Amino acid sequence: MDLEIKIIKNESPKAKPQDETSLGFGKIFTDHMFVVEYTVGKGWHDARIQPYGPLAIDPASPVLHYAQEIFEGLKVYRRADGGLQMFRPLENAMRMNRSAERICMPTLDAEFQVKAMKTLVEIEEAWVPSQPGTSLYLRPTMIAHGAELGVHPAKKYLYFIICSPAGSYYKNGMAPVKIHIEDRYVRAVKGGIGAAKTGGNYAASLKATFEAADRGFDQVLWLDGRENKYVEEVGAMNMMFVLDGKLVTAPTGGSILPGITRKSILQLAQHKGMEVEERPISVHELLDAYAAGKLTEAFGTGTAAVISPVGLLEYQGQEMHLSDGKIGPIAKEMYDTLVGIQKGAIEDPFGWIEKIS
Ligand SMILES: *Cc1c(COP(=O)(O)O)cnc(C)c1O
């Protein structure tokens, strides 16, 4: 796709944060954003990088009423030599297109999406932090707009990318999380939209997550929506278990978001000679394995944390305590290798790195 990206510079740039240790996540946004528009009959048009700021959309826009919206999340890392690189951006662009198809939105050439990311990052270069664990988080998003309340796919779409410098997820060390296995609410069902990265899945998850938080849990682990029996995923992370020395995770099968971190960890584990299984895992299998001393680790995988070790799994009052409240050896090895590749400290044998500078 050969669409020219027009650049409109922000003439009043913001002061950049001085303290990289207090960046947090998603609170500060850079000076520019990428925008491209789609109109049925005309296709994609008016690609541009413009000053970051509010969007003007009609209050009757379908995104506001029927949640026709999708997004992505990926990071730009600063290497020790000062250069910048992204981790598997084409995977995010292709997943964006799969989400688009599921929510009846137009696709945007994946290579063009990556070009837009790179062009934007080149302009925002000075916003990429350098401290360990920090990155520039990119949030590609697509919304349906225009003025029409009828329930059907919209005629106008906006695809945009915003950037936010992100602090280290593990600023206070890698404290394992406490997870409640949810047996009343469900997030996604087979045949539903669980495999699409769309806002509606998050709206569906808020209540259970906040109720669990009131009871001292950090996250909710969802069970399948049909039998309430098989473990699926957590918040914005896929889940992996070390069961009898093997790395086991649920198959993506339509109700689980196919994480790029998940896919990368599975590949990495195999590369390291570990046995890997993608298969349904019932909560009772976990309880039995725990009782037999065979469930030795559990961790979440996702772009934000890379790996989030689990210290406690709770199901209907039964508790499974893992790894002595520390990060387990397999989670640690996977974390160190993947972060090393992402940051450029370890050579990338897989072709996952896309250099920007
Ligand atoms: C984004 C996301 C993930 C993790 O995907 P990554 O590509 O690894 O960042 C997992 N589950 C859900 C629901 C998500 O939205």
Side-chain angles (χ1 to χ4, degrees), residues 95 187 197 202 233 235-238 257 259-261 301-303:
R95 187 171 66 191
R187 183 195 88 106
K197 215 168 168 77
Y202 282 80
E233 63 173 318
M237 289 190 290
N238 297 111
L257 199 286
I260 296 159
T261 318
T301 68
T303 296

Side-chain angles (χ1 to χ4, degrees), residues 35-41 43-46 48 55 57 61-63 67-70 100 103-108 141-146 148 152-160:
V35 183
V36 61
E37 300 184 45
Y38 182 92
T39 309
V40 168
W44 291 103
H45 59 92
D46 287 299
R48 64 211 184 249
L55 298 169
I57 60 168
S61 286
V63 61
Q68 211 189 353
E69 183 268 1
I70 55 171
I103 312 291
C104 293
M105 302 176 94
T107 58
L108 175 61
T141 309
M142 198 194 322
I143 58 169
H145 75 119
E148 43 185 332
H152 51 76
K155 296 191 180 65
K156 293 172 85 172
Y157 297 89
L158 272 181
Y159 174 110
F160 57 87

Side-chain angles (χ1 to χ4, degrees), residues 121-195:
V121 171
E122 279 163 10
I123 290 172
E124 303 298 54
E125 195 273 334
W127 283 92
V128 187
S130 57
Q131 291 298 307
T134 63
S135 59
L136 184 70
Y137 182 77
L138 306 187
R139 170 55 63 90
T141 309
M142 198 194 322
I143 58 169
H145 75 119
E148 43 185 332
L149 287 182
V151 182
H152 51 76
K155 296 191 180 65
K156 293 172 85 172
Y157 297 89
L158 272 181
Y159 174 110
F160 57 87
I161 307 171
I162 53 177
C163 319
S164 174
S168 172
Y169 199 87
Y170 294 114
K171 170 165 88 153
N172 304 316
M174 223 178 204
V177 293
K178 296 186 179 128
I179 288 185
H180 164 62
I181 303 178
E182 179 58 52
D183 60 338
R184 293 172 305 142
Y185 300 111
V186 296
R187 183 195 88 106
V189 290
K190 199 159 179 252
I193 55 170

Side-chain angles (χ1 to χ4, degrees), residues 6 43 48 66 76 81-82 103 118-119 156 160-161 175 181 183 199 224 237 244 253 274 337:
K6 187 175 164 191
R48 64 211 184 249
Y66 311 121
V76 178
D81 68 6
I103 312 291
K118 279 181 152 174
T119 312
K156 293 172 85 172
F160 57 87
I161 307 171
I181 303 178
D183 60 338
D224 74 283
M237 289 190 290
D244 216 359
M274 201 176 170
T337 312

